[in-house]
C-alpha cells in the first residue's frame, strides 16, 4: 500500500514551507497521529556541538514529535546556503535518490502519516540528474504547494502547478501563507485568481503571525488549520478516501 503523506513544496524558498509543514504536523499530533517527517536535502546546515544539523528538520521534528533517527529525518545536511547540487559538490557529497528512498521507507513503516519538505521550489537541483520535482514524483506523495500572498504570487503559483502537471505529479492543493491582517488589493484577489486559472483548490489562507518564535507561529497556524479545508483533505488522506 502506498504510504500516506504529503510532499510540501513552495513557489520559492522562504515562502513558509517549513512553517506550514510543521503546522500540519502539529495539528495531526494534536489529533493523536504519529507523524513522521522527512527533510531529504538541506543546504545551509548549522553547526551544533561540531555536528551539521538542519534547522528545518529540527522544527519539523519538534512539531511532530517524530522520534525516528536524525539520519532518516534529514539524510543530507549540506554546509553552504546555496543550491543543493552545488552545496553538495562543495562538501564532496552526491545526493542520491536511493538513500532518500531508504529513509522514506523506514519512516513510512514507523509512522501513520509522512510529511516531506522539499528544498526550495520544484526545479531546484539536488544533483546533476535529480531535481526536487523528480523526488516528489518518485516518492509518489501528493503535492501541497505553499505560496506567498502578495503581488507576483499568481505567476509563481501557476508556474509551479504547470511544472507539477507536466511531470505527472499529483497536486493536493495550495496554501497561501503569511496573509497580512489587512490584505491589500493584490492579496485579496490572488486566492480566487489562482484557484480559477489553475483548477487547483486553495485549501487555506494562513495569516502572518507577529513575533519570530517559530514554535509559537507553528502552534498558532496549527490552530488555524483546525476545522478548515486543508485539515479535511488531510483527514481524507488518512482515511484512504483520496
Ligand atoms: N505565517 C507566518 N507568520 C509569520 N512568520 C512566518 C509565517 N510563515 C513563515 N514565516 C517566517 O518566514 C521565514 C521563512 O519561513 P520558512 O517556513 O522557513 O520558509 P521555507 O521553508 O519555504 O524556506 C521564517 O523565519 C518563518 O518563521
Ligand atoms: Mg524550509
Amino acid at each position: 500500500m502506498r504510504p500516506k503523506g504529503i510532499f510540501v513544496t513552495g513557489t520559492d524558498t522562504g515562502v513558509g514551507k517549513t512553517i506550514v509543514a510543521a503546522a500540519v504536523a502539529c495539528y495531526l499530533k494534536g489529533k493523536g497521529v504519529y507523524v513522521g517527517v522527512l527533510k531529504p536535502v538541506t543546504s545551509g546546515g548549522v553547526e551544533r556541538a561540531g555536528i551539521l544539523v538542519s534547522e528545518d528538520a529540527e522544527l519539523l521534528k519538534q512539531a511532530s514529535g517524530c522520534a525516528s533517527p536524525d539520519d532518516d529525518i534529514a539524510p543530507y545536511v549540506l554546509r553552504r546556503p546555496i543550491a543543493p547540487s552545488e552545496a553538495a559538490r562543495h562538501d564532496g557529497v552526491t545526493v542520491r535518490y536511493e538513500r532518500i528512498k531508504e529513509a522514506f521507507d523506514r519512516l513510512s513503516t514507523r509512522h501513520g502519516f509522512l510529511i516531506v519538505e522539499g528544498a526550495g521550489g520544484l526545479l531546484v537541483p539536488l544533483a546533476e540528474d535529480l531535481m526536487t520535482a523528480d523526488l516528489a514524483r518518485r516518492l509518489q506523495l501528493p503535492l501541497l504547494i505553499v505560496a506567498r500572498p502578495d503581488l507576483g504570487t499568481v505567476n509563481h503559483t501557476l508556474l509551479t502547478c504547470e511544472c507539477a502537471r507536466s511531470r505527472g505529479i499529483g497536486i493536493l492543493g495550495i496554501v497561501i501563507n503569511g496573509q497580512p491582517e489587512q490584505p491589500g488589493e493584490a492579496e485579496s484577489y490572488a486566492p480566487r485568481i489562482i484557484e480559477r486559472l489553475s483548477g487547483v483548490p486553495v485549501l487555506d489562507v494562513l495569516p502572518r503571525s507577529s513575533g519570530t518564535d517559530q514554535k509559537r507561529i507553528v502552534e498558532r497556524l496549527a490552530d488555524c488549520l483546525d476545522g478548515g479545508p486543508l485539515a479535511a483533505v488531510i483527514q481524507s488522506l488518512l482515511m484512504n478516501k483520496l
Side-chain angles (χ1 to χ4, degrees):
M1 199 175 68
R2 203 170 65 157
K4 294 171 192 170
I6 54 173
F7 190 105
V8 180
T9 192
T11 54
D12 198 354
T13 193
V15 295
K17 292 183 301 294
T18 308
I19 290 286
V20 171
V24 173
C26 179
Y27 164 78
L28 285 173
K29 183 172 72 171
K31 300 284 172 201
V33 180
Y34 187 37
V35 182
V37 289
L38 172 59
K39 173 78 190 181
V41 184
T42 304
S43 55
V46 296
E47 213 167 287
R48 291 202 214 290
I51 298 171
L52 207 56
V53 301
S54 163
E55 288 180 304
D56 282 6
E58 285 181 333
L59 188 64
L60 293 170
K61 189 174 164 175
Q62 193 257 325
S64 61
C66 173
S68 282
D70 289 346
D71 276 355
D72 282 350
I73 295 176
Y76 289 102
V77 185
L78 309 165
R79 191 170 293 273
R80 296 178 77 85
I82 54 177
S85 58
E86 299 315 296
R89 203 196 306 269
H90 268 280
D91 289 354
V93 170
T94 303
V95 173
R96 288 174 45 247
Y97 170 74
E98 290 71 21
R99 173 150 176 222
I100 295 168
K101 179 67 164 69
E102 281 160 22
F104 176 83
D105 288 343
R106 281 192 291 270
L107 289 165
S108 52
T109 58
R110 288 194 209 109
H111 299 275
F113 195 86
L114 279 193
I115 300 177
V116 181
E117 184 198 342
L122 283 180
L123 294 187
V124 162
L126 306 176
E128 282 301 313
D129 56 352
L130 187 70
M131 284 185 174
T132 295
D134 302 319
L135 191 58
R137 184 180 49 78
R138 292 176 79 173
L139 294 178
Q140 289 194 297
L141 292 180
L143 217 56
L144 183 66
I145 299 171
V146 180
R148 59 188 173 81
D150 48 335
L151 192 61
T153 196
V154 172
N155 175 50
H156 285 133
T157 310
L158 296 181
L159 281 170
T160 301
C161 291
E162 202 159 308
C163 173
R165 285 200 172 115
S166 73
R167 286 161 188 253
I169 307 166
I171 310 173
L172 193 66
I174 296 162
V175 170
I176 293 177
N177 174 53
Q179 186 79 329
E181 217 170 295
Q182 295 188 323
E185 208 176 358
E187 285 137 349
S188 305
Y189 278 108
R192 271 175 288 157
I193 302 177
I194 288 170
E195 208 163 54
R196 182 160 53 81
L197 296 180
S198 67
V200 176
V202 172
L203 295 171
D204 258 308
V205 179
L206 296 172
R208 171 141 294 273
S209 267
S210 55
T212 54
D213 181 341
Q214 311 279 311
K215 190 168 165 255
R216 299 233 358 227
I217 298 172
V218 167
E219 284 168 359
R220 170 140 189 252
L221 294 191
D223 285 345
C224 295
L225 292 178
D226 208 359
L230 176 57
V233 165
I234 288 189
Q235 286 295 342
S236 301
L237 276 179
L238 268 169
M239 292 157 72
N240 282 329
K241 286 190 183 160
L242 280 184

